[in-house]
Amino acid sequence: MMTIDHKGRLAGRFLKTISIAKGSRPMAYSFIESSRWLDQGQLKAAVEAMTMGNTSALANDVGADFLALVRPETILGRLANLRRVPFMTRMIRQTAGPKGHWVQEGFPKPVAASTFAKEEPLPPRKVVAISVITDELAQQSNAEEIIPRDLAAATVQSMDEAFIDPDNAGVDDERPASVTYGTTSIPATANPAQDLKKATAELVAAGGNLRTAHWILHPDMAVALNLRGGAFETVGALGGSIAGLPAITSSAVPMTSSGSPIALVDASGIEVGGNLEASLRSSTEAAILMETDPATGATEVVSLFQTDSIALLAEIYVNWRVGRPGSTVYIDGANYA
């Protein structure tokens, strides 16, 4: 469960303000002044762009503050050595570089040509979370903590599921495929040490670099490994390390009674664009298609006006892809309980 200290506080106060103001800039200013918050200047600047029932916090202090709450909780935010690329920019990838040589005095110095491959531009994609709250909730003294926490948690879960689920093939113009989709998989055995050793060997054989590699697994799987003791005592529900490599845990990793994948990802082979700006908006006039039963997908149209409700939206532009083949491998169906 995510907690909020100073991270997300500005975003929470902004969301509370625009919820109470309901599109009125003077009312927003009045509420900010009456609250006597120390960050009044930033909040007033954030509502400058506010129009009736809609406000944008794109690329300002509020959006950055919301990302500061979201990013450290995501798998992406915990991976070191990712290759960051700009959206819609044609890139090249070096497939072979120069080599060093020992040269005898007076002899010519050998030269090895570098080779490159062109890469298609990485298009922007967006992940969105919407939370519907009541007027009464917006008025509560701790609303600025509850509102951003729920939006952040929904955003984190959606990003992590798309990033790591081996079954996520992606959707054209909508959602990127996971970094494990279509990659090498290793059938799990009852021996975790053997499986993990084989995964590292597969990654190296495919050209991956263990120095920039991370394990990604479900917290329950990490606990199961920890309880085996010995070499696995360095990993637990909050992460840690396995065989000296960082281990990242996420509840978004698929987990069923038949097992769960354990991914090994060389972050230096993963290209990521965006994840730098967030947009926060609100509306009190829309009709929202609410999901009433996630298991069946049943929905119901709810009028925000008729129910005295407020819809709050968080939007982040982000995309990724495996830039260097052989950068990921996963153990399929691990069950070490």
Side-chain angles (χ1 to χ4, degrees):
M1 182 178 179
M2 291 187 296
T3 59
I4 295 181
D5 40 35
H6 64 284
K7 294 177 181 177
R9 180 184 298 161
L10 181 64
R13 289 174 174 175
F14 173 76
L15 288 169
K16 180 174 182 175
T17 298
I18 62 177
S19 297
I20 292 174
K22 296 183 178 179
S24 169
R25 186 182 299 177
M27 187 179 295
Y29 287 158
S30 177
F31 176 75
I32 292 171
E33 291 174 355
S34 67
S35 298
R36 300 186 180 277
W37 290 322
L38 296 178
D39 45 14
Q40 287 188 21
Q42 290 172 292
L43 289 168
K44 287 182 178 180
V47 300
E48 279 294 325
M50 188 162 64
T51 58
M52 187 62 66
N54 180 48
T55 184
S56 174
L58 182 63
N60 62 16
D61 291 343
V62 170
D65 186 60
F66 182 74
L67 268 179
L69 181 64
V70 170
R71 193 184 292 116
E73 301 293 333
T74 63
I75 295 173
L76 271 177
R78 289 178 282 169
L79 281 171
N81 300 297
L82 290 165
R83 184 185 178 199
R84 301 200 175 273
V85 299
F87 286 138
M88 302 308 296
T89 303
R90 190 174 295 278
M91 308 288 290
I92 59 172
R93 173 171 51 88
Q94 189 174 45
T95 57
K99 297 180 180 179
H101 301 270
W102 291 95
V103 183
Q104 184 178 345
E105 187 70 27
F107 279 68
K109 301 174 180 64
V111 178
S114 299
T115 57
F116 300 87
K118 293 182 179 180
E119 292 185 344
E120 291 300 314
L122 188 66
R125 298 288 179 260
K126 61 183 175 182
V127 57
V128 174
I130 298 178
S131 175
V132 177
I133 64 173
T134 61
D135 286 343
E136 289 80 3
L137 175 59
Q139 298 285 346
Q140 297 301 310
S141 60
N142 62 338
E144 63 263 34
E145 296 183 3
I146 297 172
I147 296 170
R149 181 183 63 202
D150 290 347
L151 278 175
T155 305
V156 169
Q157 187 72 13
S158 182
M159 287 179 61
D160 282 0
E161 287 176 353
F163 184 81
I164 201 61
D165 187 351
D167 291 332
N168 173 30
V171 178
D172 289 344
D173 300 323
E174 178 183 315
R175 183 181 72 239
S178 74
V179 296
T180 53
Y181 178 76
T183 192
T184 301
S185 62
I186 299 167
T189 68
N191 187 334
Q194 175 182 302
D195 295 346
L196 295 168
K197 182 178 181 181
K198 188 171 183 180
T200 59
E202 287 283 353
L203 187 79
V204 172
N209 185 353
L210 286 179
R211 291 175 61 88
T212 50
H214 301 65
W215 300 104
I216 303 174
L217 65 166
H218 194 282
D220 291 355
M221 181 60 63
V223 169
L225 288 172
N226 177 271
L227 293 176
R228 285 177 170 258
F232 299 113
E233 290 181 349
T234 54
V235 66
L238 301 181
S241 66
I242 301 174
L245 302 179
I248 296 172
T249 56
S250 171
S251 60
V253 176
M255 185 81 174
T256 66
S257 58
S258 59
S260 176
I262 299 178
L264 182 59
V265 177
D266 175 9
S268 67
I270 307 301
E271 297 177 351
V272 177
N275 206 24
L276 301 173
E277 298 174 346
S279 175
L280 303 177
R281 301 195 294 274
S282 73
S283 178
T284 58
E285 305 298 331
I288 300 292
L289 188 64
M290 298 283 288
E291 188 174 56
T292 57
D293 188 347
T296 64
T299 58
E300 177 184 357
V301 176
V302 175
S303 168
L304 299 178
F305 175 77
Q306 288 179 306
T307 57
D308 291 326
S309 299
I310 305 161
L312 300 172
L313 179 148
E315 181 178 88
I316 298 174
Y317 280 87
V318 62
N319 199 1
W320 59 75
R321 67 185 173 198
V322 178
R324 187 180 65 238
S327 297
T328 63
V329 63
Y330 71 95
I331 300 167
D332 188 19
N335 192 348
Y336 303 131

